[in-house]
Amino acid sequence: MKDEKKIIELILAGRTAYYGILVERYQNPVFRVIFRIVSQYDDARELTQDVFVKAYESLNQYNPDYRFFSWIYRIAINRALRYIRSRKPYVPLEKIPQREGIATEDASFDFKTREGLVNEAVSALKEQYKTVVLLKYYADLSYEEIAQVLEIPEKTVKSRLFDARMLLKDKLSKNLQYVD
Amino acid sequence: MLTDNDILIIQKKVGGTLTAKEEDLFRELTASNPEAGKLYKELLNVQRTLRDDVSGIPDVDVTGDVMATIKRKSTVKNVFLAGWKRYYAYAALVVLVFTLGVLAANYLIPPLGTWNNEELAGTMAGQHAASFKDHEEGIEIEMEKYRNEGLLVYMLFVTSRDSLNVEFVPGQEHSEILYFKRIWPGNEPEALLEQNHNEDLVCGENAIFTLANPPVDSEMFFSKNGKLIHKIMF
């Protein structure tokens, strides 16, 4: 955290190139969170770029008492959720799981089907559960870090994650039997 | 039948956060209760499925594009803000309003045949709608409105010492076209607002926003670091 505080001080002093360090450090966890929300690679890539540019433009609003990642993830989740709310519903054909006539020899098709089912299951979660799942598994944050991002007690993070797992268990075990 | 505490132990085992004592409890639980073993396997499967999904997501490298965008925006800002004067904003305003007026006349208003001087006069004149100053926060907002039959446009001139978040919340249900856009600096994509959809833009130092056809009870919030500085109601 100390090095990030120093990096941000340098950026705000005009040493813009240092921002590249933060982008490199967080681009993939941020991308994975956004990708699981929007489910389209190109859109997720563009949104990830957008998030980092917006974060740079708002850097003087950032409170250095909090860790940079908690701020960037909050921007990323809000941006991605806003994007899908404004987007017309669209489900690519390859993401619709088919229950009959599956070519089981085709592993890539099975992966897409599984990915579609995971996406469907996670997307169907209420926002409070979806965000903890995304931050725990896709951003790989600890309970303490998730609590910082969402500004809720750690106990609440655990409770929501436990509830999310129970909800996902029902959805995934019911549907994945068709894939396996 | 599993108790809440049993489920908690199983969840903590899945998450890898059991204490040594809790590990013993878990072993006893799964040895004595098949339902516990089943639930543990199912939750472990959820965890494995999610982790497999994560590992299947390809990496991305946006560093170059992000830094290039920042550099490009910074160059434009330095060129145009080096000698920022309010009258440049008004010049941009005149051009914009003239353009909007032409578009509105061509596309939104039915052909009127011959336009006489009375019909044309006054349609481009702006009216002062609101102003706000907070010296402590270093913020100044001036709002003017322009009406050209069928189109009501608000122009907001914002000067701020620090970056502001500007959020527009549409009010009642609306069937008309509704736009909210930052036109200076840079050019934000135009936000065509749907029902119950808020738009959130960032404004730093000096900015001009346009808002077309806000419905009744719409609100615009200006905030800094999560603190509300000013609110405008339409």
Side-chain angles (χ1 to χ4, degrees), chain B residues 87-108:
Chain B
Y87 64 79
Y88 286 147
Y90 281 104
L93 165 67
V94 169
V95 170
L96 174 74
V97 172
F98 178 77
T99 307
L100 284 173
V102 169
L103 286 172
N106 283 332
Y107 297 107
L108 296 178

Side-chain angles (χ1 to χ4, degrees), chain B residues 31-204:
Chain B
S32 62
N33 190 334
E35 202 183 335
K38 179 172 179 268
L39 179 60
Y40 172 65
K41 280 182 188 165
E42 285 173 340
L43 292 177
L44 206 58
N45 193 42
V46 168
Q47 176 129 300
R48 189 186 70 203
T49 303
L50 290 172
R51 286 194 172 144
D52 286 347
D53 186 56
V54 173
S55 64
I57 297 173
D59 279 351
V60 75
D61 185 1
V62 298
T63 310
D65 290 336
V66 168
M67 299 310 290
T69 305
I70 287 170
K71 188 178 176 185
R72 189 175 61 244
K73 285 189 169 192
S74 175
T75 305
V76 168
K77 186 178 173 179
N78 288 339
V79 166
F80 283 93
L81 291 185
W84 173 266
K85 298 274 185 221
R86 180 51 65 87
Y87 64 79
Y88 286 147
Y90 281 104
L93 165 67
V94 169
V95 170
L96 174 74
V97 172
F98 178 77
T99 307
L100 284 173
V102 169
L103 286 172
N106 283 332
Y107 297 107
L108 296 178
I109 303 172
L112 293 175
T114 306
W115 289 56
N116 59 39
N117 283 339
E118 282 175 358
E119 285 167 332
L120 285 172
T123 57
M124 304 301 287
Q127 294 175 356
H128 174 77
S131 62
F132 168 79
K133 283 183 190 177
D134 186 327
H135 295 294
E136 198 180 305
E137 295 288 349
I139 292 168
E140 193 176 320
I141 302 168
E142 281 184 25
M143 187 165 75
E144 296 186 359
K145 68 179 178 187
Y146 298 80
R147 186 180 283 282
N148 197 341
E149 291 185 52
L151 199 65
L152 175 61
V153 178
Y154 287 91
M155 302 286 294
L156 292 105
F157 301 88
V158 183
T159 304
S160 172
R161 184 183 60 220
D162 307 308
S163 282
L164 286 181
N165 264 82
V166 183
E167 185 188 1
F168 177 72
V169 180
Q172 297 171 1
E173 287 188 12
H174 54 91
S175 55
E176 297 165 339
I177 299 168
L178 171 61
Y179 287 105
F180 178 46
K181 183 174 179 171
R182 189 186 74 199
I183 60 165
W184 181 273
N187 222 356
E188 279 290 328
E190 205 158 60
L192 174 58
L193 297 176
E194 297 169 357
Q195 309 294 352
N196 303 319
H197 177 82
N198 303 351
E199 184 60 22
D200 200 357
L201 299 174
V202 175
C203 148

Side-chain angles (χ1 to χ4, degrees), chain B residues 3-18:
Chain B
T3 65
D4 287 346
N5 198 52
D6 292 339
I7 295 173
L8 182 63
I9 291 284
I10 294 168
Q11 289 271 19
K12 287 176 85 173
K13 174 67 179 176
V14 170
T17 58
L18 285 179

